[in-house]
Amino acid sequence: MNNLELDYSLTDAFVSQNDMEGMKGKVEEAKKMLLDRSCPGKDYTGWIDLPVDYDKDEFGRIKKAAERIRGMCDAFVVVGIGGSYLGAKSAIEFLNHSFYNNLSDDSRKAPQIYFAGNNISEVYLGDLLQILEKKDVCVNVISKSGTTLESAIAFRVLSEFMEKKYGADASKRIFATTDKARGALKELSDEKGYETFVVPDDVGGRYSVLTAVGLLPIAVSGVDIDALMAGAAAMREKCLEKEFYENDAMLYAAIRNILYSKGKTVEIVANYEPSMHYIGEWWKQLFAESEGKEGKGLYTATIDLTTDLHSQGQYIQEGPRIMFETVISVGSASCGIVMKHDENDTDGLNYLEGKSIAYINGKALEGTQKAHVDAGVPNLLIKIAGRDAKSLGELYYFMMFACGMSGLVLGINPFDQPGVEYYKRNIFTLLERPGY
């Protein structure tokens, strides 16, 4: 049984039953292409069976390595960009204390976790090195090739830092997640003696959160990765076995494409919990890099609510009617803070007496959805059971399966990203890299 639920009742004014029937066959065919491995990009569909068909030996090594890392360092640096860090960061922020890195070592029971190699900022990297100077450090570099510019720059600097700090012992503190047999990082790892984990050949970066790419950093933070995989496995069963109207991933793919065909060219994923910010960032990369090609695809955007109601909220309410919202909400988002009576009631909040802040936040969600729908912005609601690893595993798989189908409905390959090479060519030319 899984606990994720899609509520699309607030799209009724925009999506008819005839629309759904017209899209049903297209989504069913997309699903069949995925499962038959007859789709464009079929060589990168290994993620479909990953929750039930993964390397159990490596999974055990991941858990053992995470335990060792927690025992020998108080700072853990994850080096990667795109899918090589967004899955891990989204899980770590969602499943841990909101101020994880600020907790005392005793309260945290795991190293502070930092991310590098997702930008080319010298200031960011310099500030990070300053933080690491007085800490015991381990590093996890994640790159299939080892030559991705942002992460390669950061790792060159960090590996020099580690060798200066630890000498020959640096190799025991550096872990590489890379290709199983070839590539610059694999060669370097073999030369230096880094422990390595595998980026599977048939899983692209943005679909890799349930591989060592995401699992090692997530496990280091103390998250139960067995529960994460169990949640993904439960959702996989539903995605593969349920028919269209009982299959939330198929319905999500259908509604996205129906709204897109009606001129809703922007999808905004919204959350009402700060811990969910990077879930939105992970979703944004997953769908944008999968669908944005050949002049097609929804533009993916994210907002943090209620914060952004005081900025982008105005645009959503009264700007061009080119968008729809997908709100992700989480149950059990309460820690018992209840509004109390104030004798003076200077702020006028006594009417909230006895109500929890989580309850108030829930009403903010409902009220905002109604306002936006009334203004012509369709809304979907994805509800997950709680802030736990199983629920997050379900959400990850749900989104990946929906994304694969949605891209195939568009008629594109949802598993390649040819457009990202163009900026690289220009950068390498400007930097005078040999051959460019």
Side-chain angles (χ1 to χ4, degrees):
M1 179 179 180
N2 65 73
N3 298 302
L4 183 148
E5 179 184 346
L6 173 69
D7 180 354
Y8 57 98
S9 60
L10 293 179
T11 65
D12 286 351
F14 310 91
V15 177
S16 70
Q17 186 60 38
N18 285 339
D19 292 330
M20 293 294 283
E21 281 297 311
M23 186 60 67
K24 178 174 178 286
K26 297 177 183 179
V27 176
E28 288 174 337
E29 177 60 22
K31 177 183 174 182
K32 183 177 184 299
M33 291 171 68
L34 277 180
L35 300 186
D36 290 348
R37 308 302 198 272
S38 60
C39 60
K42 61 185 179 182
D43 293 338
Y44 293 93
T45 55
W47 56 272
I48 294 174
D49 295 327
L50 196 61
V52 295
D53 184 18
Y54 56 92
D55 186 332
K56 307 300 191 297
D57 290 337
E58 181 173 74
F59 193 81
R61 281 203 306 118
I62 288 169
K63 292 196 284 188
K64 289 178 181 177
E67 188 175 349
R68 278 202 323 279
I69 290 166
R70 288 199 298 271
M72 69 175 159
C73 73
D74 51 22
F76 181 61
V77 184
V78 181
V79 182
I81 194 167
S84 294
Y85 93 101
L86 283 169
K89 189 166 178 63
S90 65
I92 290 165
E93 294 217 351
F94 179 63
L95 297 173
N96 287 287
H97 193 284
S98 297
F99 302 95
Y100 177 87
N101 272 0
N102 299 107
L103 294 173
S104 68
D105 291 344
D106 289 340
S107 298
R108 194 176 55 251
K109 300 187 187 321
Q112 293 172 310
I113 299 178
Y114 301 94
F115 291 85
N118 52 64
N119 58 61
I120 315 179
S121 168
E122 183 177 338
V123 172
Y124 180 94
L125 195 54
D127 287 349
L128 176 59
L129 291 173
Q130 187 179 29
I131 289 290
L132 299 177
E133 193 64 49
K134 296 180 180 180
K135 294 183 179 293
D136 280 326
V137 184
C138 288
V139 173
N140 177 207
V141 56
I142 306 168
S143 175
K144 191 163 182 64
S145 66
T147 59
T148 303
L149 184 64
E150 295 89 343
S151 52
I153 288 172
F155 183 60
R156 176 176 285 201
V157 172
L158 283 162
S159 60
E160 290 173 357
F161 167 85
M162 294 293 284
E163 288 172 2
K164 181 179 178 182
K165 188 176 180 73
Y166 296 107
D169 287 339
S171 62
K172 299 174 184 176
R173 293 174 169 269
I174 298 175
F175 301 79
T177 307
T178 188
D179 191 90
K180 65 181 177 183
R182 59 187 181 273
L185 182 54
K186 175 59 176 171
E187 291 175 10
L188 180 65
S189 299
D190 290 344
E191 176 190 333
K192 297 283 189 178
Y194 305 153
E195 183 170 2
T196 59
F197 299 92
V198 175
V199 181
D201 289 337
D202 58 357
V203 179
R206 58 189 178 274
Y207 292 85
S208 68
V209 64
L210 299 175
T211 72
V213 170
L215 293 177
L216 179 58
I218 293 169
V220 169
S221 78
V223 168
D224 181 353
I225 59 173
D226 287 290
L228 189 75
M229 294 298 277
M235 180 53 66
R236 174 186 173 276
E237 183 178 357
K238 180 175 181 180
C239 288
L240 269 58
E241 295 184 2
K242 295 291 185 181
E243 298 300 324
F244 182 75
Y245 285 109
E246 300 297 321
N247 191 318
D248 285 341
M250 295 179 76
L251 292 170
Y252 180 48
I255 293 167
R256 296 179 80 252
N257 278 281
I258 291 168
L259 291 171
Y260 177 62
S261 72
K262 293 176 180 250
K264 303 295 186 182
T265 57
V266 177
E267 180 177 10
I268 303 171
V269 154
N271 69 76
Y272 282 76
E273 287 293 333
S275 65
M276 300 183 77
H277 173 84
Y278 270 93
I279 291 176
E281 295 301 296
W282 173 83
W283 167 87
K284 186 164 66 176
Q285 189 221 1
L286 174 66
F287 277 88
E289 204 168 55
S290 295
E291 293 190 328
K293 56 199 72 164
E294 300 179 23
K296 302 175 183 177
L298 284 153
Y299 182 79
T300 57
T302 56
I303 53 173
D304 299 321
L305 301 178
T306 60
T307 304
D308 288 335
L309 290 179
H310 299 264
S311 56
Q312 290 166 285
Q314 173 61 40
Y315 188 91
I316 296 168
Q317 193 70 39
E318 296 186 336
R321 303 296 77 184
I322 59 172
M323 69 198 78
F324 67 95
E325 282 178 282
T326 299
V327 179
I328 305 176
S329 73
V330 57
S332 307
S334 177
C335 56
I337 303 176
V338 175
M339 296 297 291
K340 297 179 180 177
H341 180 83
D342 182 87
E343 187 173 340
N344 296 319
D345 196 26
T346 306
D347 50 19
L349 294 179
N350 274 355
Y351 74 99
L352 297 175
E353 181 182 353
K355 294 180 173 65
S356 72
I357 295 177
Y359 172 85
I360 298 167
N361 198 30
K363 294 306 175 186
L365 186 161
E366 292 177 27
T368 302
Q369 279 199 300
K370 185 178 187 307
H372 290 174
V373 170
D374 288 348
V377 179
N379 263 245
L380 297 95
L381 179 64
I382 296 171
K383 296 182 277 189
I384 60 175
R387 197 173 162 189
D388 61 86
K390 184 176 184 295
S391 296
L392 184 58
E394 292 180 0
L395 181 64
Y396 282 147
Y397 196 89
F398 168 88
M399 286 298 187
M400 290 189 290
F401 200 79
C403 185
M405 290 186 294
S406 186
L408 293 175
V409 169
L410 277 176
I412 52 89
N413 178 352
F415 307 117
D416 67 356
Q417 53 281 337
V420 301
E421 299 304 319
Y422 288 94
Y423 84 88
K424 294 179 183 179
R425 294 174 195 167
N426 288 343
I427 292 174
F428 292 148
T429 299
L430 292 167
L431 291 172
E432 301 179 2
R433 178 176 173 173
Y436 286 81

